Amino acid sequence: MAKRKAHSSLARDRPPSTIPISVALSDNSLLPEPGASPRKVSQLKPEPPATNPDRNPSILDGPEAIRASPDAKELEVCNREKLGMGGEGDVKEDGDNDDSDSPLSDLSDTQSPIKAGKSKSKQNRRVQKQSGIADSRIDEPAVQATTIKQKPAKDYQFLDPEADGDEEAGEGELQAALSRPPPVNSNYLPLPWKGRLGYACLCTYLRYSNPPVFSSRTCRIASILENRHPLKDPNKPPHQTKNRPDKEQPASIERGQAFVETLGLANARDIVKMLRWNDRYGIKFLRLSSEMFPFASHEEYGYKLAPFASEALAEAGRVAAELGHRLTTHPGQFTQLGSPRKQVIDSAIRDLEYHAELLSLLNMPPQQDRDAVMILHLGGVFGDKTATLDRFRENYKGLSQGIKNRIVLENDDVSWSVHDLLPLCEELNIPMVLDYHHHNINFDADQIREGTNDIVELYPRILATWKKKNITPKMHYSEPTPAAITAMQRRKHSPRVATLPPCPPTMDLMIEAKDKEQAVFELMRAFKLPGYDRFNDIIPHIRKDENKPMKTPKKKATRKSTKKSKAQLESAEIPEEATDTADKPAQVEIADDEVGMGGPEGRVYWPPGMEHWLRPVKRVVQQKDSSTHEDKKAVTPAKKRKATADATEVATKLEEEVEQDNVSHVARKRVNLTPKASAKSARTSKKTARIVPTPSSSDEKLSDPLSDLSIEQTSAPKKLQAPSRRSARTKKISYTEDLE
């Protein structure tokens, strides 16, 4: 695969003398301080190039293009002047799109924008090269003529109209946002409601069921290449660690393709479960995930869905037709037909063909098939809105009729407002989707005010674009988070919505909220919409709609004995009818169609912020005190036997030591005696040896000098006492003190 180009063809072919420079070379702010380390020098951030088309008409594709093409490497910044914000850029990961999941967004090794994790020094060198700071061919007068006052720039990324803005705002942004006129909202509510409410891509309740049900299983290209090799043991199922592909064996493209197709089929089969779940709780509108078939529109690893997925998709379409549900798709942010790059246009057309084939294989009735549309954003402005619109018109003419029948355009919250898109939709006969949340952020202040009140005047023109093609109209609704102030912060969708927009009561309304189906339930409860009485609150961490595996009790290891145990004897005497385990109710097996459906009570609603209730309680292992832990260890029989053996061994050693001490003590006493005393003691010892009687065993049993001591005292080893000696002149002598 060819390497990505560092610059667009337009930027590459531009003469060196016309390259716009935003910072003069004489600006000392970019020069390193004297004695600065090379590391600090590499981290200097130069100013972005001046790409405002009002000041530099030669710019056609530059960093201020709202969303550059997937293979571009220019840094992007949105047009802050129109939003009334500062010049600082928004840093956002490309994969954080909440409402659309395009396979193109995961191409980390082919067509991907610059990520924030890259080296700052590399980004700075790229910016310097693009802005012409390191180019010696630039004329100094041209530099001075194009010098523009810029604000310090952050690291930039492509701005996705569906992405969330979660950046901290500066003082200028806050002041501009707080000083904007208050919105003017309509007080009309579309009640009684007769339309269809829907959510995007994922059902949170089914996602955490067992087994999980969702249609966005995906993979990486590295996984495709790895699974081209056979398993180490082909007779066993694949395992993450025990049975992985053997890379030493030859690879096969067909084997890797089968791996991807398996993921796609699992996603397609789960659509049926999601549709039946939605129908049970009054939801009849669903946006299918673009990630259903991973990398299906990729230039190298792409593939057609027919015939391997035809049967699974046809079954999903049959269920949707039976229940009267509407299905739509939303290609990702890289699918744009207004880009000046041919490679981007080719990738966008492949992605649209993939989505069109997916919807066509559903084989739904004519009206439902027409209602299965593909929502598309116009994309970036690329420095010139007029030129971008012209490119879109030209590329739209070359699309197949199947794609033209399904494309609808949506206003975004960055560059293309309702007043920008509505004339284009009327000209090319393309239906227009009104997104209220985007409109409140990006609108033409000269023609309309912020809020839902003034936009009602454009309803006739918007609805007419749908009627021309006999397609049921649809609109999008979401709300910003309560803490959002600036326009970039307000792009972030709130978990749930508080009210209904002033749309017609028969409208198909897509609720774009973080909590997905729970946001729809919230509206149903708030306004008593049809289906509000079908669901109830879930029991925290408990699900009664799943088949839990039976836990067999562990058999305790018992000593072998020839005698029957007491339990065996009792069971032999009691008849079999009486041994029924009535105390433990048998587990009722739930049918596969009812698994994950909420049970007979419909417990599928979780309160705001309580998403963790969907999962089982995590077992928290508390650390015990070492002393308590060791005490409990000593109580065990094995530890007790070991402790007894150790104590016996210690006592034996002490006894031997005491005996040796006694012998040495007596020897020392005999050495210290005088010769006269020693002779006298010798005579006395002979007499006492004849007088003292030999003790019997009965005497030892009766007279135990340690019998009155406690257990702790007796446990200590006994010290040997020296033999008693009598003298004619002395009484009994006790050597206890000497021995101690």
Side-chain angles (χ1 to χ4, degrees):
M1 183 181 296
K3 293 184 178 179
R4 295 175 293 175
K5 300 177 181 179
H7 305 282
S8 66
S9 58
L10 295 176
R12 185 185 67 243
D13 299 337
R14 189 180 298 121
S17 59
T18 60
I19 296 178
I21 303 300
S22 60
V23 182
L25 293 178
S26 59
D27 190 357
N28 295 329
S29 61
L30 294 178
L31 298 177
E33 298 179 0
S37 64
R39 182 177 179 182
K40 292 183 179 180
V41 173
S42 64
Q43 294 179 353
L44 293 176
K45 295 183 179 180
E47 302 291 344
T51 55
N52 191 333
D54 298 333
R55 299 175 181 175
N56 190 358
S58 63
I59 290 297
L60 297 177
D61 183 14
E64 284 198 7
I66 297 306
R67 289 186 300 184
S69 53
D71 62 331
K73 285 189 177 180
E74 285 87 1
L75 303 175
E76 286 193 10
V77 185
C78 69
N79 191 346
R80 300 303 181 110
E81 295 179 358
K82 185 172 182 179
L83 296 177
M85 303 168 64
E88 299 181 352
D90 178 44
V91 179
K92 192 65 187 173
E93 289 293 338
D94 306 302
D96 291 343
N97 186 357
D98 179 51
D99 303 318
S100 61
D101 302 314
S102 173
L104 293 177
S105 61
D106 287 340
L107 306 187
S108 59
D109 57 337
T110 53
Q111 299 175 353
S112 60
I114 299 173
K115 295 185 178 180
K118 291 214 173 186
S119 173
K120 293 182 179 180
S121 60
K122 293 182 179 179
Q123 293 184 10
N124 294 337
R125 288 196 295 268
R126 186 184 299 113
V127 174
Q128 292 174 3
K129 187 176 180 181
Q130 292 175 1
S131 59
I133 293 177
D135 196 342
S136 60
R137 297 175 296 174
I138 302 175
D139 299 332
E140 186 174 354
V143 172
Q144 296 177 355
T146 56
T147 300
I148 302 172
K149 185 178 180 181
Q150 296 284 340
K151 294 184 179 181
K154 295 181 181 178
D155 295 332
Y156 300 113
Q157 281 187 326
F158 306 148
L159 295 183
D160 174 19
E162 297 293 342
D164 294 335
D166 211 2
E167 286 292 304
E168 295 184 2
E171 279 187 35
E173 291 178 295
L174 290 174
Q175 291 179 0
L178 293 173
S179 61
R180 76 178 193 275
V184 182
N185 294 316
S186 174
N187 56 4
Y188 170 76
L189 288 175
L191 300 176
W193 179 256
K194 300 178 182 179
R196 293 179 286 193
L197 294 177
Y199 62 92
C201 305
L202 178 73
C203 176
T204 62
Y205 186 86
L206 289 176
R207 180 63 182 86
Y208 292 110
S209 63
N210 187 19
V213 177
F214 63 108
S215 60
S216 56
R217 298 172 183 86
T218 186
C219 65
R220 298 179 296 120
I221 291 179
S223 300
I224 301 176
L225 299 178
E226 183 182 9
N227 281 274
R228 289 180 176 180
H229 301 273
L231 296 175
K232 292 183 178 180
D233 189 351
N235 298 325
K236 294 182 180 180
H239 192 271
Q240 197 170 15
T241 56
K242 298 180 180 179
N243 195 18
R244 294 184 62 86
D246 188 0
K247 295 183 179 180
E248 295 181 357
Q249 300 186 29
S252 172
I253 297 178
E254 291 76 12
R255 194 180 292 111
Q257 181 62 28
F259 165 74
V260 183
E261 292 177 359
T262 302
L263 292 177
L265 289 175
N267 291 332
R269 294 188 182 107
D270 278 356
I271 299 176
V272 176
K273 185 84 169 186
M274 295 174 67
L275 291 174
R276 296 198 180 278
W277 193 94
N278 290 344
D279 189 72
R280 175 171 294 191
Y281 299 108
I283 301 175
K284 295 182 177 292
F285 189 11
L286 177 66
R287 176 186 298 168
L288 299 178
S289 173
S290 295
E291 294 286 352
M292 188 179 303
F293 296 94
F295 299 103
S297 62
H298 193 271
E299 182 179 7
E300 181 178 355
Y301 303 98
Y303 50 90
K304 293 292 184 181
L305 306 183
F308 80 93
S310 300
E311 184 178 352
L313 291 175
E315 177 63 17
R318 186 189 65 79
V319 174
E322 173 190 340
L323 303 176
H325 288 208
R326 182 174 187 176
L327 302 176
T328 61
T329 59
H330 195 327
Q333 68 269 22
F334 294 135
T335 306
Q336 44 187 311
L337 297 174
S339 173
R341 306 175 187 276
K342 184 180 183 303
Q343 185 178 0
V344 178
I345 300 302
D346 295 341
S347 299
I349 294 175
R350 286 197 309 270
D351 198 37
L352 293 175
E353 289 176 349
Y354 152 67
H355 284 84
E357 183 186 12
L358 188 154
L359 296 174
S360 299
L361 290 177
L362 295 173
N363 294 330
M364 292 185 292
Q367 184 59 49
Q368 286 180 290
D369 185 59
R370 285 193 297 269
D371 293 345
V373 295
M374 302 183 298
I375 300 96
L376 194 66
H377 289 289
L378 194 57
V381 297
F382 302 101
D384 190 346
K385 280 190 174 183
T386 304
T388 302
L389 292 174
D390 292 339
R391 287 192 297 269
F392 180 87
R393 293 186 183 96
E394 187 66 24
N395 295 324
Y396 179 79
K397 293 178 182 178
L399 299 177
S400 63
Q401 190 60 39
I403 297 177
K404 289 181 179 179
N405 293 339
R406 299 188 186 276
I407 278 186
V408 297
L409 291 179
E410 177 190 357
N411 62 305
D412 60 63
D413 53 4
V414 177
S415 47
W416 299 99
S417 65
V418 175
H419 287 89
D420 293 329
L421 293 185
L422 190 54
L424 179 67
C425 292
E426 293 172 337
E427 175 189 348
L428 300 179
N429 193 19
I430 301 175
M432 179 188 163
V433 178
L434 172 62
D435 190 303
Y436 291 92
H437 177 64
H438 295 168
H439 165 69
N440 287 333
I441 299 174
N442 181 28
F443 58 92
D444 191 348
D446 296 334
Q447 304 185 51
I448 202 170
R449 295 174 296 179
E450 179 184 348
T452 59
N453 187 72
D454 295 355
I455 195 65
V456 177
E457 300 176 358
L458 297 178
Y459 279 2
R461 293 177 59 186
I462 295 174
L463 297 178
T465 60
W466 296 88
K467 293 180 181 178
K468 289 180 181 179
K469 287 192 171 182
N470 194 19
I471 302 176
T472 305
K474 62 166 291 190
M475 293 181 178
H476 296 173
Y477 184 72
S478 56
E479 296 174 356
T481 55
I485 299 176
T486 65
M488 197 57 58
Q489 292 173 348
R490 289 161 58 205
R491 298 174 66 209
K492 185 174 183 179
H493 293 176
S494 63
R496 306 192 185 187
V497 294
T499 186
L500 288 167
C503 62
T506 57
M507 182 63 60
D508 286 349
L509 189 63
M510 175 62 64
I511 305 300
E512 296 181 330
K514 293 292 184 182
D515 288 348
K516 305 297 181 180
E517 83 285 351
Q518 301 297 321
V520 178
F521 289 159
E522 203 73 36
L523 283 176
M524 288 181 175
R525 280 192 169 182
F527 297 101
K528 301 293 187 292
L529 304 182
Y532 79 96
D533 54 347
R534 299 185 184 182
F535 56 88
N536 293 292
D537 294 6
I538 67 173
I539 301 175
H541 312 293
I542 297 176
R543 294 205 181 201
K544 296 184 178 181
D545 57 355
E546 296 177 354
N547 287 320
K548 297 182 180 179
M550 296 292 294
K551 295 183 179 179
T552 57
K554 295 182 180 180
K555 294 182 179 180
K556 295 183 179 179
T558 57
R559 295 179 180 177
K560 294 182 180 180
S561 61
T562 56
K563 297 181 180 181
K564 291 185 178 181
S565 62
K566 186 178 180 181
Q568 289 177 344
L569 294 173
E570 291 177 355
S571 62
E573 296 174 359
I574 301 173
E576 295 182 359
E577 293 141 1
T579 58
D580 187 15
T581 57
D583 298 337
K584 297 181 180 179
Q587 183 178 4
V588 179
E589 185 176 358
I590 301 173
D592 293 341
D593 295 341
E594 293 297 323
V595 172
M597 299 298 289
E601 298 176 343
R603 293 185 175 274
V604 295
Y605 171 84
W606 47 273
M610 298 291 115
E611 188 175 359
H612 61 279
W613 283 6
L614 296 171
R615 297 178 289 274
V617 180
K618 292 184 178 180
R619 295 182 60 186
V620 180
V621 180
Q622 296 181 353
Q623 295 183 354
K624 302 177 182 178
D625 294 340
S626 59
S627 59
T628 308
H629 188 58
E630 292 187 1
D631 291 344
K632 289 187 177 180
K633 277 186 177 180
V635 176
T636 60
K639 295 292 182 182
K640 197 171 184 180
R641 289 193 297 270
K642 185 179 179 182
T644 305
D646 294 343
T648 305
E649 184 179 356
V650 171
T652 305
K653 291 181 179 179
L654 289 175
E655 188 175 350
E656 293 175 355
E657 292 176 0
V658 169
E659 186 176 357
Q660 293 177 0
D661 292 343
N662 291 337
V663 173
S664 61
H665 178 73
V666 172
R668 286 196 301 271
K669 278 208 169 264
R670 288 179 178 178
V671 171
N672 293 335
L673 291 175
T674 60
K676 185 177 181 180
S678 61
K680 188 175 182 179
S681 62
R683 289 194 299 271
T684 308
S685 61
K686 290 181 180 179
K687 292 180 181 180
T688 55
R690 290 192 298 269
I691 295 172
V692 176
T694 304
S696 63
S697 60
S698 59
D699 295 335
E700 292 179 0
K701 292 180 181 178
L702 293 174
S703 59
D704 187 3
L706 300 178
S707 60
D708 296 334
L709 300 178
S710 61
I711 297 174
E712 290 80 1
Q713 292 171 325
T714 57
S715 61
K718 297 179 180 180
K719 297 181 179 180
L720 297 178
Q721 296 182 358
S724 60
R725 295 186 295 273
R726 287 184 175 273
S727 175
R729 296 181 181 180
T730 59
K731 296 180 180 180
K732 279 187 177 181
I733 299 173
S734 176
Y735 292 94
T736 306
E737 205 170 337
D738 296 333
L739 292 175
E740 290 178 356

